[in-house]
Amino acid sequence: MKNIDSRSHVRGESVYLDDIPVVQGTLYACVFDSPVAHGKLKSIDTSAAEKSEGVFRVITAKDIVGENQIGGIVPDEPLLADTEVHFQGMPIAIVLAASEALSHKAAKLITAEIDELEVVTDPRVAAANGDLIVPPKKFVMGDTADAFANCEHIFEGKTEQNGQEHLYIETQGAYAVPMENGGMRVYSSTQGPTAVQRAVCRVTSLAMHQVEVDVQRLGGGFGGKEDQANAWAGIVAVATQLTKRPVKYALHRMEDMRATGKRHPYSSDYKIGLDKDLKIIAYEASFFQNAGASCDLSPPVLERTLFHCTNSYFIPNVTATAYCCRTNLPPNTAFRGFGGPQGMFVIESAITHAAEKLGVSPVEIQKRICSKTGDEFPYGQIADSEAVTSWTQADKKYDFAALQREADEFNASSKHLKKGVALMPICFGISFTKTPMNQARSLVHVYTDGSVAVSTGAVEMGQGVNTKMAQVAAKMFGLDIGHVRVHTTNTLRIANTSPTAASAAADLNGKATQLACETIRDRLFEVAKDLVEAASIEDLSLESGFVYRKGEKTSLDWPTLVMEAHLQRVNLSEHSHYATPGIGFDWTTAKGHPFAYHVYGTAIVGVTVDCLRGRYEVDYVKCCHDFGTSMNTAVDLGQIEGGIVQGLGWVTMEEVVYDEKGKLRSNALSTYKVPDIYSVPKDIDVLALETDRNNLAIFNSKAVGEPPLMYGIGAYFAIRNAVKAFTDCSPAFDLPFTPEKVLTNLYPDGDTLR
Ligand code: MTE
Ligand code: LUZ
Ligand code: MOS
């Protein structure tokens, strides 16, 4: 089963926001955004822009009909700056013109008088100033103070992690078209159609039933459009409301890069304690999250850092504290892994630190603490663990010791090329940690020709969720996938959707689709029962387009059955709702059972470092991954490969650079390097950990969107090991490990010719 979009993607026929045919009279928006990261906005001069060729109107904060606010969790984010600017790239005014080129030209003519204020870009400085967006969050299990007193070895240290640009191929954008009675339809490149609908209603004062949001698909989201599509939809909606004209805005790459938030940088402290058998018995960590200028999704991202701060390990005594620090950078936001990778890097760094000091391989420590079924996570959930099974199966197939030996032997005879190997286990909780978000709806129509239309709240962004939705309907009705069409994600057909995020879209929307199909199927069976003279509907099944009775094919085919049901006035449509059972979390105790299940896996990453130049290549990523029972191995393998490459890009070459004034320096593809075909691992080998253990995943096919990204973290540790094979050093736990940083670690004295 392939991805149903492959053909139209390859032929360039798939429709993205910018491919939607525009309506006559469409105006093109462009924002004038703040050139200053922090300051009092005294005045805005739009006169030159208003006189510029083709300009229809310029809009500022005072024109907004509704509330000038899009902050979802904390109301700290005006749509347009009114009295203050708090990051470079913050929208101040909207220019509307007859073409995209003319609106961009006019936006450059706008000026603003801004009294500059102090710019903070460092989360620790913000924390020291007491500038936290929400109060600190804390997880406690056992008693670390007590446990440290009994430790044989204690190590303390610090880690730094940089951000990451989403670099979805399709930039942010939206297109609003006025409808009668003051309503509007908004096409948006968003992961969260309902979030866009709410934001549009807030800034226009329209009721939600007046605003239709429609999403065909995204050219990638990666979390960057979970919350941050709202601003651009809000901007075109405000403009449409004021002008009664269709308004479109598809951002240029550099606008997108400077105006949108990224993965959160973190600065963290750790303290780790081991007993005499090298078992970790105590772990303390403090996470300083660089949230940027407004709240956005920073608190739940921070929470997931805590949820994943012990990765796949069981540590009996844990205290983890997390600080959401306000800085003058664009608001950082969801990014594949959602704070989980940041938590995992710190524990892996702490383990590596301990191993280095104790003169053992980190593997010796990692293997002693793999969680087992029945172990408790610091947040109270009891593990149903595949940490050991994925480790054992990976070791059996790939032979960790042999791979290490191969690297050691290579290094013994190679002067300037050094190989490094590292083991990277993962454990990722599936469900939104905010329990109410774990619900979804699906609308299924069976038409009288036998074709099937499915609409859900899931947004297709390349991850293949539409293919999975079509598979669910096809399987439930015993049809070929060609009979099923998955339609746009639309707030009129599916209301109150959660964003497509948390890797949970296929589970939540797939289960809702399954329920809808089941209901229709049972109605059809009632009709079929008489037609094929079955004793009970229990005897009936649908396979390969025919009704089967007690496993035997009858002559009643699907289109005939459907038409007969229609003639008998049987309802051939169903709208179903699914809510994940058995989950919940109580923040007053910071304990509960937040996740439907966890996804596990164990990867081994091998690299070669060119110790003359500091450059490196990833030779392989071999992993045993917990799929449950994959319902689409092609799609899931694609997710694993993409996730790994995106993860290792974050820890190696992707370097987001802001200067001390809060100006983004890595603001284009010429200054921000993402992995390309030459830098992907030469070998990605995936062993399926196939289990028939029951879980809450759709068809037992576990969520796969985010977890594999964290295998990529292993590349940092593998490179570090290679560097240490060249020279006696202890590189800082500082991401990304760019070739420049590798080189300075290889030659700490700057002497490159030894
Ligand atoms: N894969 C592609 N091709 N494009 C994307 O934007 N987003 C990732 C992941 N895989 C993404 C992707 C993120 S951040 C998430 S949360 C999941 O897909 C969301 O989809 P799912 O819930 O259907 O797995
Ligand atoms: N988004 C969200 C997420 O709102 N809550 C989550 O728990 C989450 N987890 C992963 C990715 N996005
Ligand atoms: Mo993904 S970060 O949950 O959009």
Side-chain angles (χ1 to χ4, degrees):
M1 182 57 225
K2 298 203 182 77
N3 188 317
I4 53 173
D5 284 339
S6 306
R7 187 183 161 85
S8 65
H9 279 358
V10 170
R11 293 167 60 93
E13 291 169 354
S14 298
V15 172
Y16 299 86
L17 183 92
D18 217 17
D19 300 312
I20 297 169
V22 292
V23 179
Q24 196 179 2
T26 293
L27 297 171
Y28 294 82
C30 178
V31 300
F32 163 68
D33 59 68
S34 179
V36 169
H38 194 198
K40 292 272 173 230
L41 181 57
K42 309 294 269 193
S43 65
I44 310 166
D45 184 357
T46 60
S47 54
E50 273 157 29
K51 287 189 222 103
S52 184
E53 183 193 352
V55 169
F56 187 85
R57 181 165 177 178
V58 179
I59 294 166
T60 59
K62 64 179 183 336
D63 302 316
I64 294 174
V65 173
E67 192 189 350
N68 180 23
Q69 183 55 246
I70 56 168
I73 297 175
V74 173
D76 64 352
E77 193 175 0
L79 180 68
L80 296 177
D82 43 12
T83 57
E84 202 191 282
V85 292
H86 54 203
F87 68 91
Q88 275 205 35
M90 182 178 184
I92 295 177
I94 311 165
V95 178
L96 303 177
S99 78
E100 200 179 76
L102 291 172
S103 69
H104 277 78
K105 194 172 148 204
K108 292 197 177 74
L109 302 175
I110 297 179
T111 56
E113 194 192 336
I114 300 169
D115 284 353
E116 296 193 30
L117 296 167
E118 188 202 355
V119 172
V120 174
T121 60
D122 180 335
R124 291 197 192 242
V125 171
N129 292 342
D131 209 353
L132 301 181
I133 293 175
V134 291
K137 293 170 187 289
K138 197 169 190 165
F139 277 4
V140 178
M141 182 164 72
D143 185 335
T144 43
D146 228 38
F148 278 124
N150 298 317
C151 283
E152 190 77 15
H153 316 281
I154 296 175
F155 305 98
E156 287 181 69
K158 192 177 160 190
T159 75
E160 296 294 337
Q161 303 172 62
N162 205 346
Q164 183 176 24
E165 163 63 42
H166 299 86
L167 220 91
Y168 23 64
I169 295 177
E170 180 196 27
T171 54
Q172 303 267 3
Y175 181 29
V177 179
M179 310 296 274
E180 66 177 18
N181 298 323
M184 60 181 80
R185 177 184 296 146
V186 181
Y187 300 96
S188 165
S189 180
T190 179
Q191 293 173 235
T194 295
V196 160
Q197 188 187 19
R198 287 197 190 106
V200 163
C201 290
R202 197 165 176 188
V203 297
T204 57
S205 282
L206 291 172
M208 285 174 82
H209 66 214
Q210 289 172 288
V211 175
E212 170 187 1
V213 178
D214 190 82
V215 185
Q216 174 74 253
R217 65 162 63 68
L218 316 188
F222 305 111
K225 297 168 181 171
E226 181 175 339
D227 203 66
Q228 299 213 349
N230 297 359
W232 318 108
I235 281 167
V236 295
V238 160
T240 288
Q241 183 179 36
L242 293 171
T243 61
K244 301 193 165 47
R245 296 272 291 261
V247 177
K248 179 173 166 179
Y249 192 12
L251 274 67
H252 289 186
R253 179 64 65 185
M254 285 173 81
E255 289 179 280
D256 186 303
M257 289 180 83
R258 73 167 177 268
T260 65
K262 319 197 182 302
R263 185 187 291 288
H264 292 79
Y266 277 59
S267 180
S268 313
D269 298 317
Y270 62 81
K271 181 174 174 186
I272 192 165
L274 298 81
D275 67 12
K276 59 178 188 336
D277 301 322
L278 298 188
K279 219 174 165 155
I280 299 173
I281 54 172
Y283 180 60
E284 281 180 3
S286 297
F287 301 97
F288 295 89
Q289 179 198 46
N290 192 333
S294 57
C295 180
D296 195 272
L297 293 167
S298 296
V301 169
L302 193 65
E303 288 161 19
R304 202 174 264 279
T305 300
L306 292 178
F307 281 112
H308 297 314
C309 74
T310 54
N311 195 6
S312 58
Y313 307 120
F314 173 68
I315 302 175
N317 302 285
V318 176
T319 301
T321 318
Y323 304 91
C324 184
C325 311
R326 193 190 297 276
T327 60
N328 299 111
L329 299 181
N332 289 314
T333 194
F335 196 136
R336 206 171 192 172
F338 205 74
Q342 288 95 324
M344 292 185 200
F345 178 70
V346 178
I347 182 80
E348 295 301 331
S349 296
I351 290 171
T352 301
H353 179 169
E356 189 171 292
K357 286 284 156 57
L358 295 168
V360 301
S361 161
V363 178
E364 289 303 317
I365 299 176
Q366 289 169 315
K367 77 174 182 204
R368 284 175 166 75
I369 51 172
C370 288
S371 75
K372 298 185 183 60
T373 293
D375 283 343
E376 187 178 338
F377 287 101
Y379 47 92
Q381 185 159 340
I382 303 301
D384 201 356
S385 186
E386 303 288 3
V388 176
T389 43
S390 68
W391 178 294
T392 320
Q393 291 190 25
D395 196 12
K396 189 166 156 216
K397 174 160 184 206
Y398 304 121
D399 196 345
F400 303 153
L403 290 169
Q404 183 62 57
R405 224 168 22 246
E406 188 187 291
D408 293 343
E409 280 163 16
F410 177 90
N411 290 345
S413 62
S414 168
K415 189 167 177 209
H416 287 122
L417 293 180
K418 296 290 183 189
K419 288 193 185 289
V421 174
L423 212 68
M424 186 65 209
I426 62 155
C427 167
F428 197 78
I430 302 302
S431 287
F432 290 93
T433 56
K434 195 169 176 234
T435 303
M437 292 175 79
N438 296 287
Q439 55 172 314
R441 277 151 292 275
S442 175
L443 174 64
V444 177
H445 295 311
V446 177
Y447 291 98
T448 49
D449 64 354
S451 66
V452 179
V454 177
S455 297
T456 75
V459 168
E460 175 60 49
M461 49 183 169
Q463 88 280 37
V465 72
N466 280 359
T467 301
K468 289 187 174 178
M469 296 306 101
Q471 280 184 268
V472 172
K475 181 164 173 177
M476 295 304 294
F477 293 143
L479 297 172
D480 188 89
I481 195 139
H483 286 79
V484 183
R485 191 93 226 142
V486 180
H487 286 271
T488 62
T489 316
N490 183 295
T491 55
L492 293 185
R493 267 175 274 122
I494 304 293
N496 310 323
T497 60
S498 289
T500 290
S503 306
D507 283 358
L508 295 171
N509 296 281
K511 293 259 187 179
T513 302
Q514 187 180 16
L515 288 172
C517 294
E518 233 163 50
T519 305
I520 297 172
R521 191 194 59 189
D522 286 352
R523 288 187 205 129
L524 289 171
F525 279 164
E526 288 297 342
V527 175
K529 196 177 83 174
D530 296 338
L531 297 176
V532 301
E533 291 165 1
S536 136
I537 70 165
E538 310 296 320
D539 294 343
L540 299 177
S541 60
L542 291 167
E543 279 164 61
S544 54
F546 281 85
V547 173
Y548 280 61
R549 186 185 51 220
K550 291 195 165 172
E552 274 184 42
K553 188 172 170 180
T554 70
S555 60
L556 181 58
D557 66 13
W558 170 260
T560 308
L561 171 62
V562 166
M563 183 53 94
E564 183 57 32
H566 178 66
L567 294 176
Q568 291 183 23
R569 296 185 292 171
V570 169
N571 181 4
L572 293 175
S573 297
E574 188 64 16
H575 191 138
S576 284
H577 175 259
Y578 174 77
T580 313
I583 53 170
F585 194 74
D586 178 1
W587 268 104
T588 60
T589 54
K591 299 282 178 199
H593 187 106
F595 299 119
Y597 57 89
H598 290 83
V599 172
Y600 290 84
T602 305
I604 181 154
V605 183
V607 303
T608 304
V609 175
D610 172 344
C611 297
L612 280 177
R613 297 175 181 82
R615 298 197 313 211
Y616 41 72
E617 288 182 349
V618 180
D619 300 323
Y620 56 81
V621 178
K622 300 169 189 286
C623 63
C624 176
H625 183 81
D626 170 21
F627 288 96
T629 310
S630 174
M631 67 186 282
N632 189 323
T633 48
V635 163
D636 286 356
L637 199 58
Q639 285 295 291
I640 293 192
E641 291 176 350
I644 287 174
V645 171
Q646 201 163 35
L648 62 88
W650 173 52
V651 301
T652 59
M653 63 182 71
E654 296 187 38
E655 192 169 31
V656 178
V657 179
Y658 289 98
D659 66 18
E660 69 286 355
K661 287 283 196 187
K663 184 185 176 70
L664 181 67
R665 290 297 181 180
S666 51
N667 65 352
L669 283 163
S670 53
T671 44
Y672 187 77
K673 179 87 183 97
V674 290
D676 58 17
I677 194 66
Y678 302 103
S679 44
V680 301
K682 289 195 274 298
D683 175 24
I684 294 182
D685 195 307
V686 182
L687 169 66
L689 176 74
E690 297 269 3
T691 63
D692 46 14
R693 287 165 69 175
N694 226 25
N695 57 48
L696 285 169
I698 178 70
F699 296 156
N700 273 332
S701 180
K702 283 189 171 182
V704 72
E706 294 169 285
L709 180 132
M710 284 148 273
Y711 293 135
I713 298 173
Y716 165 84
F717 294 96
I719 294 170
R720 195 174 185 279
N721 287 337
V723 169
K724 281 159 58 81
F726 180 77
T727 182
D728 185 20
C729 64
S730 179
F733 297 109
D734 181 6
L735 299 184
F737 211 5
T738 57
E740 290 82 355
K741 283 192 211 160
V742 169
L743 198 60
T744 53
N745 276 288
L746 289 165
Y747 302 99
D749 310 325
D751 177 359
T752 55
L753 289 174
R754 201 134 18 115

